[in-house]
Amino acid sequence: MAEDSLFGIHAAALSVRSQRMGLLASNIANASTPGFKARDLDFQTALSSAEAGGSTDTALRYRNPSAPSLDGNTVELSSEQTAFAENAVQYQTTLSFLNGRIGQITRALKGE
């Protein structure tokens, strides 16, 4: 695909990081919901699947909490917030790379 030659793995990585951001945000939002099971994405598995044009659903995993709550909720807020912050930095890094690449292509098309 033309997209692959221009952006390489970064377009798929941005999509997977965005999906993971949604999962982590959902975990944080449901930190006090009884019986809620925290989920995450195995990034490597999801990225491989996305590159192959498949679904990232196979990369979904339930978290194993170190201290499960009595109401069955498996969200550990501090862990989720840390994972969210790390993913946000990685998302921004990937986005910056793509913006730089788009800038290069734009300059090349303008003949600069």
Side-chain angles (χ1 to χ4, degrees):
M1 291 194 289
E3 182 181 64
D4 291 338
S5 62
L6 290 176
F7 303 115
I9 196 170
H10 298 287
L14 192 65
S15 176
V16 172
R17 292 206 187 285
S18 177
Q19 185 179 1
R20 184 169 187 239
M21 189 86 63
L23 283 171
L24 295 171
S26 175
N27 291 346
I28 292 169
N30 287 289
S32 61
T33 303
F36 184 81
K37 305 297 182 206
R39 297 183 309 161
D40 199 357
L41 210 60
D42 179 334
F43 182 78
Q44 289 300 96
T45 303
L47 184 59
S48 296
S49 183
E51 282 186 297
S55 171
T56 57
D57 290 346
T58 58
L60 285 174
R61 305 283 187 263
Y62 285 99
R63 289 220 194 262
N64 292 319
S66 57
S69 66
L70 296 176
D71 66 2
N73 187 306
T74 62
V75 176
E76 294 178 326
L77 195 54
S78 61
S79 297
E80 297 298 332
Q81 289 171 329
T82 300
F84 187 89
E86 288 173 354
N87 192 67
V89 168
Q90 293 164 340
Y91 181 92
Q92 186 60 44
T93 301
T94 303
L95 190 59
S96 294
F97 177 84
L98 286 172
N99 281 334
R101 182 72 177 128
I102 291 168
Q104 289 175 337
I105 293 168
T106 302
R107 286 190 300 278
L109 290 173
K110 289 180 180 178
E112 296 176 1

